[in-house]
Amino acid sequence: MSEQQFSVSVRVRGYETDVQGHLNQSVYLQYAEHARWELFLAAGITQADLVKAGIGPVVLETTIRYLRELRAGDEVTVGCAFLWGGGKAFRVEQTITRADGVVAAEITGVAGVLDLVERRLVPDPRERMRELATDPAPLGF
């Protein structure tokens, strides 16, 4: 996985665990989504900014590798990096790391930026996001 320049901290809550006491598998996706939105905010991009621009980020594919269990009370860091290519889609790499430094999960995905009127991916998502950002560094620029 790439070096992730942006991260947020999360404490695993009891109601997020399953009968085995592990973090429920769907919550890993929620943590990843939370980190992505926080990254946008750190770059100066709000949901209102996206709506006003007529665009929105979309997830096209996600893969999760569960490496170690997470339990209620665990403090974790959710890292996030956008890897921009030359096409309509870009890669997203995220790690969920326990406080002891052990990586609990790796989440990789493919995303794009949807034109909300045309309902199609914009041809250059990197440039569209750069235009909106007041601080493009968290986006990997």
Side-chain angles (χ1 to χ4, degrees):
M1 307 246 349
S2 66
E3 184 176 322
Q4 297 177 14
Q5 301 172 347
F6 182 84
S7 65
V8 295
S9 296
V10 177
R11 178 181 299 212
V12 176
R13 295 165 287 260
Y15 63 83
E16 297 172 326
T17 60
D18 59 22
V19 70
Q20 292 92 0
H22 302 143
L23 184 65
N24 181 279
Q25 53 87 25
S26 67
V27 180
Y28 287 83
L29 292 174
Q30 293 172 7
Y31 287 3
E33 181 82 359
H34 172 62
R36 290 192 302 271
W37 280 110
E38 289 296 314
L39 186 152
F40 286 140
L41 288 174
I45 301 171
T46 66
Q47 287 182 334
D49 294 331
L50 292 164
V51 170
K52 184 176 179 182
I55 59 175
V58 291
V59 175
L60 305 171
E61 174 184 308
T62 304
T63 301
I64 305 173
R65 291 187 62 224
Y66 303 99
L67 302 170
R68 296 289 185 271
E69 69 180 352
L70 292 176
R71 301 177 66 82
D74 284 348
E75 295 282 346
V76 299
T77 301
V78 185
C80 187
F82 293 161
L83 306 176
W84 305 94
K88 294 180 179 183
F90 55 94
R91 291 187 48 78
V92 181
E93 293 187 351
Q94 298 185 259
T95 56
I96 299 178
T97 307
R98 296 188 321 209
D100 63 4
V102 173
V103 175
E106 296 176 338
I107 303 166
T108 58
V110 177
V113 175
L114 185 69
D115 180 308
L116 299 177
V117 173
E118 297 294 323
R119 309 308 289 181
R120 296 190 183 277
L121 295 177
V122 301
D124 190 352
R126 178 183 180 154
E127 188 54 33
R128 292 299 301 270
M129 298 307 283
R130 184 193 312 262
E131 291 168 357
L132 290 176
T134 58
D135 178 4
L139 293 166
F141 302 140

